[in-house]
Amino acid sequence: MHFSLLFFLAWFFGGLINNLTGFGAALVAIPLMASSVPLDTAIPASTLIVLTINIQMGWKYRRHIHLERMGYLLVGGIAGTVVGILLHQVADNNALKLSMGLFIATYAIYSFWTQNHLPSPLRRRWGIGAGFASTALGAIFGFNGPPLA
């Protein structure tokens, strides 16, 4: 299948899921593309879409953003970006695809298992870990939402 058509269809289904659930566009689109496009092509090609979605979500929920807590995400995010880029450069495409599949399966099981449990309030310092994990996943796989959620 031609890359442009596959890209369009993957992001169409990703957008559909995102509109139905409020998140998950990249969690759907990137794995669909990864079946026939190398991740080192699929992820950069999707970066502008992910960035646009994140800007739109930030604008939509701007009243709920606590700026004093953003510093923790930023500190973790800088380190996560560096680690994610380095891991993406040294890992081969098959290892990245296997890692992505394992992450998505683990996250799905975790989400299913904890769906009826409300999380307890977290300390602000947890933002460092969330920022690190989010940007590392964004650099490696092209999706960053689960740690932030």
Side-chain angles (χ1 to χ4, degrees):
M1 183 179 294
H2 191 267
F3 173 74
S4 298
L5 180 60
L6 178 64
F7 188 85
F8 171 79
L9 290 173
W11 277 103
F12 174 81
F13 287 118
L16 181 67
I17 294 300
N18 195 70
N19 284 329
L20 292 173
T21 64
F23 73 99
L27 282 170
V28 172
I30 300 288
L32 286 174
M33 284 189 289
S35 64
S36 60
V37 176
L39 286 179
D40 58 353
T41 302
I43 292 170
S46 299
T47 299
L48 288 177
I49 294 174
V50 172
L51 179 62
T52 304
I53 291 170
N54 288 339
I55 288 171
Q56 185 270 334
M57 295 290 283
W59 181 256
K60 182 177 179 180
Y61 296 111
R62 68 188 179 278
R63 290 179 200 79
H64 304 284
I65 295 173
H66 299 277
L67 293 178
E68 67 275 1
R69 296 180 184 177
M70 291 296 290
Y72 294 102
L73 285 172
L74 183 62
V75 168
I78 292 169
T81 300
V82 171
V83 169
I85 289 171
L86 291 174
L87 283 173
H88 189 79
Q89 288 178 346
V90 299
D92 71 318
N93 195 50
N94 290 332
L96 288 173
K97 287 181 181 181
L98 177 64
S99 306
M100 180 179 15
L102 290 172
F103 173 79
I104 291 172
T106 303
Y107 181 69
I109 291 167
Y110 167 78
S111 296
F112 179 74
W113 187 264
T114 61
Q115 67 183 351
N116 294 325
H117 300 50
L118 294 175
S120 61
L122 298 174
R123 296 187 190 271
R124 292 179 182 176
R125 290 180 296 232
W126 277 97
I128 295 171
F132 178 86
S134 173
T135 57
L137 287 174
I140 297 169
F141 302 129
F143 50 79
N144 59 356
L148 294 176

